Amino acid sequence: MTTISRLQRSSCTKFLQNEGCSRPLYRLRTRSYHSYEHDQPAPFNPTEEAILSASIAHVPSHGFTITALTEGAKDAGYLGVSTNLFPKGAFDLVNYHLVTQRLALKDRVQYREPKLGVGAKVKTLALERLSANKPIIHRWQDALAIMAQPSNVPTSIAELARLSDEIWFLAGDTSVDSSWYTKRASLSAIYASAEVFMTQDQSPDFVETERFFDRRLEDIRAVGTSAENVAQWVNFTGHALTNVLRSKGVRI
């Protein structure tokens, strides 16, 4: 099984099963990373925040690379060797983008229609998160390849899971049955596939990416919400993503 397939299948399995979890099911539904539920420490310390936030500005020119980190460190007033603070190198920069954009969702999205349904809110939130990739979309295939490296897969899976949960939470999902897991597993797969599609999208304002996202939503509605069906669909989607990335020269 390929790395991308393992990433998505593993993400699905973690959501669909509670085996081996040290916390009971109800604890999983009140995760501490929802900052508006509890006061939480910042995900990055002040030095990391200063360097990483400055480095992001260099991603359009240099990509998610040590060069971008070095330039960011200099901009933040640190020596270039300060990049040693980031043992995973380029992946630390990718992860910073993932984490900060997820946390920003709750403040960025304003619903025009007060009675908007949960499903419509999920779509709005997911598309807003995708839009945050626009400035660096020409660098995102490289970012996906970095995330797919075996040593980075666990963190990548965890962050994709957090994003999916954050979106459903912000949308007002109140599920307490097994659909809590299948919804999040399905959204994880749909979002990941939309990110890959977006790297190839040449349409104005990425309108084709939105249409692609809509089609994948319809696919999962047709599949249903049973754990077995969702797992099969996620596995198929993972293989498709792998083939697309390889066709673009990404080594996975």
Side-chain angles (χ1 to χ4, degrees), residues 101-120:
Q101 293 304 326
R102 168 174 56 82
L103 294 177
L105 269 180
K106 65 184 178 66
D107 297 320
R108 283 212 308 261
V109 175
Q110 300 294 327
Y111 303 113
R112 297 179 181 179
E113 301 178 22
K115 295 184 179 181
L116 206 62
V118 171

Side-chain angles (χ1 to χ4, degrees), residues 78-98:
Y78 294 89
L79 295 175
V81 295
S82 299
T83 56
N84 292 331
L85 292 171
F86 306 102
K88 292 190 175 182
F91 179 70
D92 283 322
L93 188 53
V94 174
N95 189 57
Y96 177 81
H97 175 77
L98 297 174

Side-chain angles (χ1 to χ4, degrees), residues 12 60 179 181 184 186 250:
C12 179
S179 69
Y181 295 97
R184 284 154 177 78
S186 300
V250 177

Side-chain angles (χ1 to χ4, degrees), residues 200-213:
Q200 310 164 72
D201 188 359
Q202 301 296 317
S203 63
D205 201 29
F206 298 96
V207 64
E208 289 300 328
T209 296
E210 180 174 353
R211 292 171 180 165
F212 174 87
F213 190 86

Side-chain angles (χ1 to χ4, degrees), residues 4-6 20 40 72 79-80 93 97 111 117-118 120 122 130 153 155 165 192 201 209 211 218 220 232 234-235 243:
I4 291 292
S5 299
R6 287 198 300 270
Q40 294 295 314
L79 295 175
L93 188 53
H97 175 77
Y111 303 113
V118 171
V122 166
L130 285 168
V153 166
T155 303
D165 187 41
D201 188 359
T209 296
R211 292 171 180 165
E218 289 302 318
I220 200 60
Q232 291 175 351
V234 169
N235 190 39
N243 291 334

Side-chain angles (χ1 to χ4, degrees), residues 36 96-112 121 124-135 163 166-167 170 191 195:
Y36 34 87
Y96 177 81
H97 175 77
L98 297 174
V99 172
T100 55
Q101 293 304 326
R102 168 174 56 82
L103 294 177
L105 269 180
K106 65 184 178 66
D107 297 320
R108 283 212 308 261
V109 175
Q110 300 294 327
Y111 303 113
R112 297 179 181 179
K121 289 180 179 179
T124 299
L125 287 159
L127 290 177
E128 179 62 30
R129 172 59 191 86
L130 285 168
S131 73
N133 288 351
K134 290 179 180 179
L163 173 63
E166 187 87 352
I167 289 173
L170 291 173
Y191 180 84
E195 275 199 330

